[in-house]
Amino acid sequence: MAQKSAKNRHEELKSIIAKHDHAYHVLDKPIISDFEYDQLFTELLKLEATEEGLDLTDSPSQRVGAKPLEVFSKVAHRVPMLSLANSYSPEDIFDFDERIKKFLKTDKEIEYFCELKFDGLSMELVYENGNLVRALTRGDGTVGEDVTQNIKTIKSIPLKLGKGAPEVLEVRGEVLMFKEDFARLNENQQENGQQTFANPRNAAAGSMRQLDPRITASRPLKFFAYALGHTEGITFKTQENIQETFAEYGIPTALKSAPDLVQVAKGPQEVVDFYHRIEKVRPKLPFDIDGVVIKVNSLRLQDDLGLVARSPRWATAAKFKPEQATTVVEDINVQVGRTGALTPVAIMTPVKVGGVTVTNATLHNQDEIDRKDVRIGDTVVIQRAGDVIPEVVSVVLEKRPKNSKPFTIPSKCPACGSEVEKLEGEVVTRCVNPLCIAQVKESLKHFVARRAMNIDKVGDRLIETLVDAQLLTKFSDFYRLTKEDILSLDRQGDKSAENIISSIDKSKTPPLARFIFALGIRFVGEQTGKLLADHFVTIEKFLEASEEELLQVPEIGPKVAKSIIEWTSNKRLVKEVHEMIKLGVNITNPVRSTEGSLSGMSFLITGTLPVKRDDAKDIIEKNGGKILGSVSSKLNFLVVGDDPGSKVDKAQSLGVKIISWDELQKML
Ligand code: IVH
């Protein structure tokens, strides 16, 4: 074929195939048969294999998946990708509307564009002169990963925009997997002995983060656009207008494929009605959503409203209550925790809730069991909120088996057989035997945890075995263990015994804060451990502290003080500390910086930051800042990440300064 006509035919084929891809994947209205489509595609591939100098960047052949990458490169977003403030209560929409009107100093009804909150992976597509040149994940909002090769495999995303495309159009939206596709993918994965995914969102994220685009190409992913990034050569008047324009360019939007699922609402009541309407249709939707998103429709007003920390003031998300399912309680187990608390757990017939198989649900305590009257054999409604432990919401009484009996937590500890007690005014039933085997095991597990003594080679299983072999009954026993002791256990080799002993040895210089935390005193978490270490400086001073002295420590109230006193007045426990010291544990207290750039300031973190929460706290403290446990007028800064909770509102109402992670970095 002559050069020129090969090129022409190539261009022609690219655009014909793009048209059919759009008809099939976006409009759901194929024009030609699969056979005819395959013929066109084969012709295209043949041409590309034999001719040189063809432009492959926007060729549908790219959708099959290019060569695997070594790593994803990081690219900065020209406009940061923000997150949304959210709430679970539709009533908050009225507050949101109030805030907006107040900020704009207007009484006029505000027009809102209401959308679905897709539960997928957010993405930015960069079109330059109509060509899809780049696709970035959200990353930390400032810098994302370049997943262009992978995005090109999603057939509903146009590689080229039609005529009149602006110089730059950055399109933001969500990559997701339809529920049905997800189920089929998991079936296939299982059959092939490959990893299955917990839910469609994880499957979509896992598929996008493949270095080999051929894997991504094999995954049934979809995309819906909902927002703008940077633009050149085009302007928009409203949020609705943005979606309309995307749709004209062939970019998938909810507005185009499901116009019933978006709405321009006048005032907050119409928004609330939208919320309830969507909540009703939610289970019938082919994909997961976790709420609705409400945006001020006018872009001029959006501009006036601006940002609070990393969220726009002009938008909010109203989330739905968690998803529910029905199953049968086969048994109720009672577990004993570190502080002796007895927790009843329902063991259920496995059931899928929001795409995840669930078998256990916490019943919290006797009061909760009584309130819901959950019995063995009952059919129950359970729910999962995000990633937390599932809960029993209610019992389906019509399905209750005859002769069922109310469940009562036993009056003897299921682990050690001692009496249990339930104090006046407390909901928790406790085993009061401090030597209870279950409590001992749980305390020892807490002691070795990463944020406590960090004995990383000693896991839960080993602790159970050591306790059962009577080699371990108290904290100090860790420092008495020998290699021979470990070797006397089943299935322990020389190397692993050495590793275990050396990992215990390494834990012998704990900072005071972690040591106090490791002791497992009730109500003394990591943060309280730090405050106590700061205040008392040495372990001796801490152990001798009176209740009055404890109450001097910031954030320590009567309940915590009382619990500490109970612990420090127990001779057996205090002896344990001295034993450990004798055995070579050298408790250090690296004087914490009060010099740094954050010295004298207090912080609290809410939402997801670009770094791990614990690391963020360390950074603040290393620079002299203090971490507080709650929002109060004493707090200087609330550091806000993605999906922040209600702390933001509280901080705002108390006039606490709200800053983003980036702003904090600048203060350092
Ligand atoms: S707009 C300025 N619209 O929610 C706000 N986000 O917390 C930019 N999301 O990371 C986002 N559906 O992944 C917007 N219709 C929608 C959305 C949506 C889902 C996600 C998005 C973002 C998160 C915000």
Side-chain angles (χ1 to χ4, degrees), residues 76-97:
H77 297 288
R78 281 189 267 201
V79 177
M81 286 181 84
L82 304 170
S83 55
L84 291 169
N86 63 50
S87 106
Y88 279 93
S89 132
E91 290 74 42
D92 286 357
I93 292 167
F94 289 99
D95 297 342
F96 169 68
D97 178 65

Side-chain angles (χ1 to χ4, degrees), residues 81-86 115-123 138 172-174 226-227 239 243 290 293 295 311-312 314-315 317 642-643:
M81 286 181 84
L82 304 170
S83 55
L84 291 169
N86 63 50
E115 309 176 17
L116 305 180
K117 185 163 185 340
F118 297 104
D119 197 6
L121 186 72
S122 52
M123 194 66 65
R138 181 174 183 282
R172 286 162 182 191
E174 203 90 347
Y226 50 62
Q239 195 65 41
Q243 285 218 9
D290 54 356
V293 178
K295 301 173 185 170
S311 307
W314 47 265
D642 278 356
D643 290 331

